[in-house]
Amino acid sequence: MGTPIVVSAPGKVLIAGGYLVLDPAYSGLVVSTSSRFYTVIRAETSTTSRICVRSPQFTNATWDYNVSSVAAQVTVEPSPENASKNKFVHLALQKTITLAVEVKGASSVKDILSKGTDIAIVGGNDFYSQRAQLEARNLPRTLESLSKLTPFAYTGVELANVHKTGLGSSAALITSLVSALLVYLQVIPESSLTEGDNQGRRLAHNLAQYVHCFAQGKVGSGFDVAAAVFGSHLYTRFQASVIQPLMDDQVVPLFPVISPSNSEWNYNIGDFKLPPLTRMMLADVDAGSDTPSLVGKVLKWRQESRDTANALWTTLDSLNQELAKTLLQLSELYSRNEKAYIDVVTHAASLSASEWSTLTMSKDPVISAFVKVRNTTESIRGKMREMGTLCDVPIEPIEQTKLLDACVSLPGVIGGGVPGAGGYDAIWLLVFDPPGSSEELPSERVGGLWQSYTELDVSPLLASESMAKGARIEKLADIAGLKEAVGSA
Ligand SMILES: Nc1ncnc2c1ncn2[C@@H]1O[C@H](COP(=O)(O)OP(=O)(O)OP(=O)(O)O)[C@@H](O)[C@H]1O
Ligand SMILES: C[C@@](O)(CCOP(=O)(O)O)CC(=O)O
């Protein structure tokens, strides 16, 4: 068996721009996470072109597919013996193979698939709640405990019953699977996924967006797939009409629509990353909310109260843009004068935000920028709460307000909020992460608060921001626990 193709894709956190990002007139600030999905593809040595997809973290999660072809039409059919269905995986296979046949020709694709294919898919532990695993091992809900769990741990349940944490498992799964298949079927070169923005990466993006929309039965904003492909960025959505001709599954060629040269793909990936020496922290608050029903109510309110909604969204959008600009400016200030930046972070890390002005360097541009980040995140929270009240939707419900207020008043916490659609799901924080500090780190202070918090059931996630820009080629041996998790074919 040759070297496997391994492609990973990160999860996402929409730190600003929830709801607004559904409208191409506005943008969303999305951070990609160090927690990733991995797809490992290997050729088998059999005599049939069967494709076996395995998700070893779940029970009854092996799906066999038969590949058949009539002329240039290749069909992927789930085996009747499969113990469960996986629409997302099935569609990813069908659509990617169809596109590959269009681009490379049927004989090239059939040749690559002729001896059978083994595909293993795993997601980082953060994608699924680890509460049960921690309890079973009698471990407290801390980052330290999470780091002791086996990577890609077995969940003990079927996929349909897993408790997801909101990091965008389906978008990361589809992106890693579609991208890995495009490489395996030689539609795009490996370099597409080792280099930054390029045509191959864009092809993977467009196809993953389409497959994800098709599997979900609706066209969302797509920020989650965009984060999985491109990493952290400022996202402006594509117009839904670009994939509309393919959404009713009429047999039309995919490539003319999916191709990166189709100018109807008008999404924009703006530059964005979190500042140096800060750390994003995430916690799942376990009450869970139903995003589609929140979205439905917010959009209905926007229809019915156009003027109020537009005024609120315009204010929110300028705050979101301000946040993006100031966070980026901090990276620039770091590269201009590293020492001055490190001094500020080191000092401010042990002070509460109200004390930052007491620093001798309080007129410093780095301090001013962090103060602006703080004030802007607080204003965004205020406006999101206002929207929640106006639509009667719990975007930042009182329980989360209390938790966030307690977090952002801790020394070293810069700001935070409710990610994405909000609603009893999760919180995100940005904290200082000073180098070589002997004092308690802000992340440790936050961890302590979360552990002792009783009003909500707070469970931290290990993820921080992924510095790698989106989907990428990996080496099986380089990822701790991956070889063991995917086992042998
Ligand atoms: N490890 C996996 N292996 C195979 N398929 C998976 C895996 N994880 C998720 N999926 C697919 O993704 C689907 C879940 O998609 P859904 O849109 O409900 O989640 P999501 O909104 O992306 O979740 P979250 O954002 O909370 O992670 C599953 O039904 C399954 O088809
Ligand atoms: C409300 C919305 O803007 C964001 C939802 O984000 P999340 O799934 O809650 O992270 C919906 C969307 O963009 O598809």
Side-chain angles (χ1 to χ4, degrees):
M1 223 178 278
T3 317
I5 297 290
V6 185
V7 174
S8 72
K12 54 73 186 173
V13 186
L14 188 67
I15 65 168
Y19 303 101
L20 277 72
V21 74
L22 288 160
D23 184 332
Y26 305 100
S27 306
L29 206 49
V30 55
V31 174
S32 60
T33 64
S34 50
S35 306
R36 288 173 167 258
F37 256 78
Y38 294 81
T39 296
V40 179
I41 309 189
R42 299 181 257 220
E44 300 209 82
T45 46
S46 101
T47 47
T48 64
S49 54
R50 184 190 71 136
I51 300 178
C52 173
V53 181
R54 304 175 287 119
S55 284
Q57 289 164 290
F58 299 95
T59 54
N60 285 335
T62 297
W63 306 279
D64 280 338
Y65 297 92
N66 301 312
V67 183
S68 59
S69 57
V70 177
Q73 180 78 27
V74 176
T75 308
V76 179
E77 281 296 342
S79 156
E81 273 121 61
N82 290 346
S84 65
K85 287 191 175 150
N86 193 324
K87 191 175 171 192
F88 285 69
V89 164
H90 179 208
L91 284 170
L93 295 179
Q94 177 66 68
K95 303 295 179 189
T96 310
I97 291 172
T98 303
L99 186 91
V101 167
E102 287 175 27
V103 176
K104 301 292 293 182
S107 67
S108 156
V109 173
K110 280 196 262 179
D111 194 37
I112 296 171
L113 297 176
S114 62
K115 296 210 160 58
T117 313
D118 176 74
I119 303 182
I121 299 168
V122 288
N125 289 341
D126 266 349
F127 285 93
Y128 310 112
S129 172
Q130 299 300 323
R131 285 182 165 83
Q133 274 67 17
L134 293 177
E135 245 159 63
R137 294 181 55 181
N138 230 344
L139 289 170
R141 282 185 203 149
T142 60
L143 293 175
E144 202 196 338
S145 309
L146 290 169
S147 66
K148 285 186 194 145
L149 297 180
T150 311
F152 316 107
Y154 180 58
T155 59
V157 297
E158 293 204 9
L159 240 170
N161 299 326
V162 74
H163 178 132
K164 294 169 292 172
T165 58
L167 286 191
S169 52
S170 59
L173 153 85
I174 291 292
T175 300
S176 73
L177 177 55
V178 160
S179 308
L181 274 170
L182 286 175
V183 172
Y184 187 71
L185 298 173
Q186 297 169 6
V187 180
I188 61 172
E190 288 197 11
S191 60
S192 303
L193 302 177
T194 52
E195 292 161 8
D197 196 358
N198 60 70
Q199 294 298 92
R201 192 177 280 275
R202 286 193 169 239
L203 181 73
H205 167 268
N206 298 353
L207 182 60
Q209 287 284 14
Y210 164 52
V211 170
H212 196 233
C213 289
F214 199 75
Q216 290 189 317
K218 66 174 172 48
V219 186
S221 73
F223 80 90
D224 42 5
V225 170
V229 177
F230 296 108
S232 300
H233 67 282
L234 187 63
Y235 180 70
T236 315
R237 71 164 301 161
F238 57 91
Q239 60 196 12
S241 58
V242 61
I243 49 173
Q244 211 51 57
L246 302 180
M247 286 300 283
D248 45 16
D249 205 16
Q250 277 171 11
V251 184
V252 284
L254 296 183
F255 189 66
V257 174
I258 300 302
S259 166
S261 0
N262 174 4
S263 60
E264 283 190 53
W265 283 103
N266 58 354
Y267 61 91
N268 189 58
I269 307 297
D271 247 5
F272 177 72
K273 62 178 179 209
L274 291 174
L277 306 183
T278 64
R279 175 184 171 156
M280 177 180 68
M281 296 187 74
L282 298 168
D284 163 16
V285 300
D286 198 37
S289 62
D290 179 15
T291 300
S293 78
L294 300 188
V295 172
K297 275 179 118 175
V298 171
L299 296 184
K300 184 163 174 273
W301 160 78
R302 192 173 177 226
Q303 282 288 330
E304 289 167 359
S305 315
R306 277 256 147 213
D307 293 346
T308 320
N310 283 344
L312 183 59
W313 280 28
T314 304
T315 311
L316 252 174
D317 188 53
S318 61
L319 289 166
N320 296 344
Q321 300 285 348
E322 185 72 32
L323 179 62
K325 200 177 94 195
T326 316
L327 288 169
L328 261 187
Q329 194 192 342
L330 278 159
S331 289
E332 218 180 284
L333 288 167
Y334 175 81
S335 49
R336 239 186 270 159
N337 188 343
E338 250 179 62
K339 181 175 177 317
Y341 185 102
I342 295 173
D343 281 352
V344 168
V345 169
T346 309
H347 284 88
S350 56
L351 302 177
S352 65
S354 58
E355 292 169 316
W356 296 353
S357 60
T358 63
L359 289 175
T360 47
M361 69 273 254
S362 66
K363 296 261 171 337
D364 183 275
V366 178
I367 282 278
S368 311
F370 277 118
V371 169
K372 196 179 253 181
V373 170
R374 164 66 161 219
N375 294 340
T376 313
T377 49
E378 287 296 284
S379 305
I380 292 171
R381 284 182 58 203
K383 287 287 160 194
M384 292 298 271
R385 283 195 298 268
E386 193 179 322
M387 179 153 79
T389 309
L390 289 166
C391 319
D392 193 25
V393 163
I395 296 178
E396 189 193 290
I398 184 69
E399 295 87 339
Q400 270 170 298
T401 300
K402 284 194 202 162
L403 172 62
L404 278 167
D405 286 348
C407 294
V408 299
S409 64
L410 288 175
V413 178
I414 303 158
V418 289
Y424 294 107
D425 244 354
I427 60 165
W428 70 270
L429 296 176
L430 187 68
V431 305
F432 288 118
D433 195 17
S437 168
S438 55
E439 289 184 35
E440 186 182 36
L441 285 170
S443 56
E444 291 164 345
R445 263 175 232 133
V446 169
L449 173 83
W450 287 353
Q451 213 189 328
S452 59
Y453 204 80
T454 51
E455 285 184 51
L456 274 174
D457 189 14
V458 187
S459 199
L461 303 188
L462 262 187
S464 52
E465 183 183 29
S466 166
M467 288 306 158
K469 280 289 186 190
R472 67 175 182 203
I473 294 276
E474 308 277 6
K475 287 205 179 78
L476 191 58
D478 289 353
I479 310 298
L482 184 59
K483 196 161 174 252
E484 294 74 10
V486 300
S488 53

